């Protein structure tokens, strides 16, 4: 019997995205997850957006560190372009069975720009056609708690009043497919929940779940 969905060549890596406010613990959870999956023998890479290493990324970095000023729409499109310039590499990694753990993606793009008052649909438009994540994990923390953690690095968006608006934007974007984890739990508990949901997602992708696009 020919079973298309069990065909080994359909197997692919999973696109896993972590989202949340600044200081929610995303970055350290991404690196813990990477080590865990590597130890299990998975082919896996850790990515982040913005990717500050490209030309576009350097413009973004200079904006975030307040070295340059840009119109809100212009910086929005640069963040989006920074994801577009990685799209084909992302797709080839997934097709060659590499799982990608991505620290921020299009949801950050929409949440941060709409928090400035830009129209939600306008914010979503340039993200259309990027690869859709197989799993979005939201590390949930209140803006007040996140601010208490300290270590706001002084970048442009790292201010309590703005983070409150970002939190509201994320609430609007969130749907039932997102896995929401309480980011105020001990690190090990967050990690445990994350591992379980990610392993389930990887299994589904290994069975040949088709790649799809936003939105
Ligand atoms: P990070 O490197 O994860 O700390 O991100 C840098 C800052 O940029 C952080 O405050 C979140 C914000 N950010 C990330 N992606 C986007 C995006 O696509 N659009 C906007 N406007 N902000 C973003
Ligand atoms: Na940050
Ligand atoms: Na970004």
């Amino acid at each position: 019997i020919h079973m298309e969905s069990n065909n080994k060549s359909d197997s692919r890596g999973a696109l896993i995205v972590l989202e949340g406010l600044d200081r929610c613990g995303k970055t350290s959870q991404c690196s813990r997850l990477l080590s865990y999956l590597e130890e299990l023998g998975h082919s896996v890479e850790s990515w982040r957006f913005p990717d500050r290493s490209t030309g576009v990324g350097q413009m973004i970095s200079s904006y975030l560190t307040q070295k340059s000023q840009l119109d809100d729409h212009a910086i929005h499109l640069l963040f989006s372009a920074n994801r577009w310039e990685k799209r084909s590499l992302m797709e080839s990694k997934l097709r060659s069975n590499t799982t990608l753990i991505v620290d921020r993606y299009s949801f950050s793009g929409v949440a941060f720009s709409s928090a400035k008052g830009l129209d939600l649909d306008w914010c979503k438009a340039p993200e259309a056609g990027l690869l859709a994540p197989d799993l979005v994990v939201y590390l949930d923390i209140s803006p007040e708690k996140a601010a208490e953690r300290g270590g706001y690095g002084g970048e442009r968006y790292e201010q309590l009043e703005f983070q409150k608006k970002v939190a509201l934007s994320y609430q609007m974007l969130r749907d039932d497919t997102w896995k929401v984890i309480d980011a105020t739990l001990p690190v090990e508990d967050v990690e445990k929940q994350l591992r379980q949901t990610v392993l389930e997602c990887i299994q589904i992708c290994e069975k040949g779940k088709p790649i799809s696009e936003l939105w």
Side-chain angles (χ1 to χ4, degrees), residues 22-23 52 104 155 158:
D22 287 295
R23 306 301 300 155
R52 303 188 193 210
R104 297 194 180 284
E155 285 204 332
E158 297 181 338

Side-chain angles (χ1 to χ4, degrees), residues 144-186:
E144 292 80 4
K145 280 246 171 75
E148 274 170 25
R149 287 184 170 182
Y152 271 168
E155 285 204 332
R156 189 178 286 268
Y157 299 141
E158 297 181 338
Q159 295 169 19
L160 179 57
E161 286 315 305
F162 186 69
Q163 297 283 322
K164 284 182 186 171
K165 292 179 185 164
V166 175
L168 291 174
S169 298
Y170 268 128
Q171 262 178 39
M172 279 192 310
L173 286 174
R174 232 188 260 180
D175 66 34
D176 294 347
T177 67
W178 287 29
K179 169 75 180 174
V180 179
I181 299 180
D182 180 352
T184 65
L185 294 173

Side-chain angles (χ1 to χ4, degrees), residues 22 26-27 48-50 52 60 63-64 75-76 79-80 83 103-106 108-110 112-113 116 127 155-158 163:
D22 287 295
K26 255 178 324 79
T27 305
R48 72 180 309 149
F49 289 109
R52 303 188 193 210
I60 294 170
Y63 171 83
L64 287 172
I75 186 64
H76 181 78
F79 274 108
S80 184
R83 287 181 280 276
D103 186 341
R104 297 194 180 284
Y105 196 56
S106 301
S108 284
V110 178
F112 280 76
S113 289
K116 298 172 180 173
E127 308 295 320
E155 285 204 332
R156 189 178 286 268
Y157 299 141
E158 297 181 338
Q163 297 283 322

Side-chain angles (χ1 to χ4, degrees), residues 83-159:
R83 287 181 280 276
W84 274 103
E85 62 185 343
K86 295 288 168 180
R87 188 199 181 285
S88 63
L89 181 60
M90 188 176 260
E91 182 168 352
S92 64
K93 294 277 180 189
L94 296 178
R95 292 201 188 281
S96 63
N97 269 319
T98 297
T99 284
L100 302 178
I101 301 164
V102 183
D103 186 341
R104 297 194 180 284
Y105 196 56
S106 301
F107 311 97
S108 284
V110 178
F112 280 76
S113 289
S114 66
K116 298 172 180 173
L118 299 191
D119 178 73
L120 188 74
D121 288 330
W122 188 89
C123 291
K124 289 174 82 168
E127 308 295 320
L130 289 173
L131 300 182
D134 297 297
L135 173 66
V136 181
V137 177
Y138 185 75
L139 295 189
D140 195 17
I141 188 170
S142 72
E144 292 80 4
K145 280 246 171 75
E148 274 170 25
R149 287 184 170 182
Y152 271 168
E155 285 204 332
R156 189 178 286 268
Y157 299 141
E158 297 181 338
Q159 295 169 19

